[in-house]
Every structure is written in C-alpha cells, then in structure tokens.
Amino acid sequence: MKRSGFWFVAPFLVLYVAFLVVPMLVGLGASVTDQGITGHAKFVGGANYLELFRDPAVWSSLWHTLIFTVTSTPAIVLVGLGMALLANRAVPERWLYRLAFFAPYLLPVSVVVLIWNWLYQPGFGLINDLLTRLGLGEVGWLSTDGMAMTSIVITTVWWTAGFGFLLYLAALQEIPRQLYEASALDGATPLQQLRRITMPLLSRTHQLVIVLQILASLKVFDQIYLLSGQGGIPGVRSIVQYIYESGFTRFRVGYASAISYVFFALIAVIALVHFRLTAEKR
C-alpha cells in the first residue's frame, strides 16, 4: 500500500527535483565561481560573497525592497479586508462588487503597467489632469525617486489586493451567522460585532494573508522593472532586479547566484521568526 502511494507522488517528485532541487544546487555551485553567461567558470571560493557585502548597490536595492514590503503589505492587507467586509454584506448586486474587486488580480503585469503608465503620464495622464483641474500642479509620478516608489506601491495595491480579498471573503463566509444574530439580540452594534466576532475569528486568515504578501513583496520585480523603464530609476531598484541585472546584463552569473543565496537566507530567517512568533501565540 505504501509503495503504491509512492508511485502516485513520483511524477511530482521527479519534477520537484528536476526544476527546484537541481537548479538550487547548480546555483549554489555557481555562487563560488566567476561563471559568466557563456558557461566558463573558475573556482573563486567566497570571493563573490565578500564582494556583495562591500557592494553598495546590493544594500541600496535591498533597502528599496524592504521599503516596498513595509509600505505595500499593510495597504494590501487592509484594502483586501475592507473590500471583503463590503462584499460580504447583503447589498444589491453583490456579485458585481466581487467581480470588480477581484478582476484586477487576473490581469497580467504588462497590462497593469500599461494602464498605470498612462495614468501617471505628465501632460495627458488622467491623474495629473485631475490635479491640474483642481488647481494643483502636476506630479512626476515616475520621474522622481520619492514619488516613483509611491506610484509603484499604489499600482501594486490596486493589482494584488484582490488575492487577499478572496481569502478574506472565503473566511468571512465560514463565520456562523448565528453569532451575529445572537449578539444583535444582546444589543451589540455592527462595530462591536466587527471587533468582538469578526476580527478574532479572522486571526488565522490575517496570518496567512500577511505571510503570503510579505513573501510576494520581497520578490517584487516585474512592475518595478517595467514602470521604471527597465531600471531607469535607481531609487526603486529591487534586490531581485539587481540580481537579474548582475546575471543577464553584466553577465556575472556567479555573482548573481551569490546574491540570490544571501537573499534566500534573509527570507528564510524572516519565515522562521514569523513561525516562531505565531507558534508562541498558539
């Protein structure tokens, strides 16, 4: 029986080893060499790791990634929760709210970037047009370092909040309606029901959404790369983008692999700290 079960999971194991374990081992081997894009490699030991700790571009791109994660994660979680609370109420045309809230998440990143790139444009962009109609000056949403990160966060929130919305909506529908009916008979207001019933029963969903969003934010690449004009704004370059540029623009595959493994270790530490904190709460 056990042997027959193994054959059911064997195809997945083969794919897992071929496309995850083997590339990880190959990348680890490349990180201690000076391998370029042509495949030529010479063993350099820990030189790549020593170099990356002295490379200011590594720390600046890592800092941009942390700023993006810290600013985008709370916004995405709160917007997703707010949309789920609204869509879960017995309002007319509830299906339309659900479709409108989740639809942006289905769009490919190229379409999302195209939409927001036009909205942010100076002169004819919709956002700057509204600002000028209100008597305000135009804003260089994508041309200045300070506003570029804000623009990318806004775009990401609009695009990905639908994922958290879907998880929260599913969790809200699992809460028994009898709890709200009994509390209403006892005189509880909607705000008290939200604080005393809804939010405590969504605690596990909060943890899931926050962890998934943190991991997704740390891996941010596409929207920054495309919105900033393929690396045109150094103030928003993420660590994944710097890894990409090191490997495929400067052709330093070994160095890019070393940065990848240090970044992987950082994500592993964050995940372990989170699991430790949540385990203590249980």
Side-chain angles (χ1 to χ4, degrees):
M1 186 68 180
K2 292 183 179 178
R3 180 169 299 180
S4 62
F6 170 77
W7 291 112
F8 277 107
V9 298
F12 169 75
L13 289 177
V14 171
L15 296 175
Y16 182 81
V17 172
F19 294 103
L20 187 64
V21 176
V22 172
M24 286 183 64
L25 295 177
V26 172
L28 181 61
S31 69
V32 293
T33 69
D34 64 350
Q35 181 177 336
I37 197 70
T38 59
H40 170 76
K42 178 183 176 183
F43 181 75
V44 295
N48 288 328
Y49 291 93
L50 293 176
E51 180 182 347
L52 75 89
F53 283 110
R54 296 192 299 264
D55 187 352
V58 171
W59 297 107
S60 64
S61 57
L62 186 60
W63 175 247
H64 300 152
T65 304
L66 293 178
I67 291 176
F68 175 82
T69 302
V70 170
T71 54
S72 66
T73 299
I76 291 173
V77 172
L78 291 176
V79 170
L81 175 61
M83 293 192 303
L85 290 172
L86 179 61
N88 192 51
R89 298 179 64 86
V91 294
E93 307 298 338
R94 186 165 53 181
W95 66 270
L96 183 59
Y97 286 93
R98 296 180 178 182
L99 176 64
F101 292 154
F102 186 67
Y105 186 70
L106 301 176
L107 297 176
V109 63
S110 56
V111 175
V112 173
V113 169
L114 184 64
I115 292 172
W116 283 91
N117 198 21
W118 278 88
L119 292 176
Y120 288 141
Q121 285 299 312
F124 59 88
L126 179 61
I127 297 176
N128 276 324
D129 181 62
L130 291 176
L131 291 177
T132 53
R133 289 175 185 272
L134 293 173
L136 304 174
E138 290 190 349
V139 176
W141 295 98
L142 298 174
S143 59
T144 57
D145 289 354
M147 290 308 301
M149 180 60 77
T150 303
S151 306
I152 292 169
V153 170
I154 292 172
T155 302
T156 306
V157 171
W158 179 82
W159 179 32
T160 62
F163 180 69
F165 157 74
L166 193 65
L167 295 179
Y168 276 122
L169 185 60
L172 286 171
Q173 292 178 348
E174 292 297 321
I175 299 177
R177 306 304 303 174
Q178 294 85 347
L179 294 177
Y180 295 103
E181 295 170 359
S183 62
L185 291 176
D186 291 336
T189 64
L191 182 59
Q192 290 173 327
Q193 290 177 337
L194 177 65
R195 291 178 52 196
R196 303 295 184 182
I197 299 175
T198 305
M199 298 307 289
L201 292 179
L202 288 179
S203 59
R204 290 183 179 274
T205 307
H206 290 320
Q207 296 177 12
L208 175 64
V209 173
I210 291 173
V211 169
L212 293 178
Q213 189 53 54
I214 289 176
L215 295 178
S217 297
L218 289 173
K219 297 186 298 181
V220 63
F221 171 71
D222 301 359
Q223 59 268 45
I224 289 181
Y225 185 72
L226 296 174
L227 270 177
S228 63
Q230 300 182 356
I233 307 176
V236 299
R237 182 170 58 186
S238 68
I239 186 67
V240 176
Q241 183 177 346
Y242 186 62
I243 292 171
Y244 169 81
E245 291 174 357
S246 299
F248 297 100
T249 302
R250 304 185 183 91
F251 308 128
R252 299 189 63 193
V253 176
Y255 185 59
S257 300
I259 302 174
S260 301
Y261 270 89
V262 172
F263 186 50
F264 171 75
L266 176 63
I267 294 178
V269 169
I270 293 174
L272 288 175
V273 170
H274 173 266
F275 283 122
R276 184 66 179 271
L277 293 176
T278 54
E280 290 178 354
K281 290 182 179 178
R282 294 173 188 169

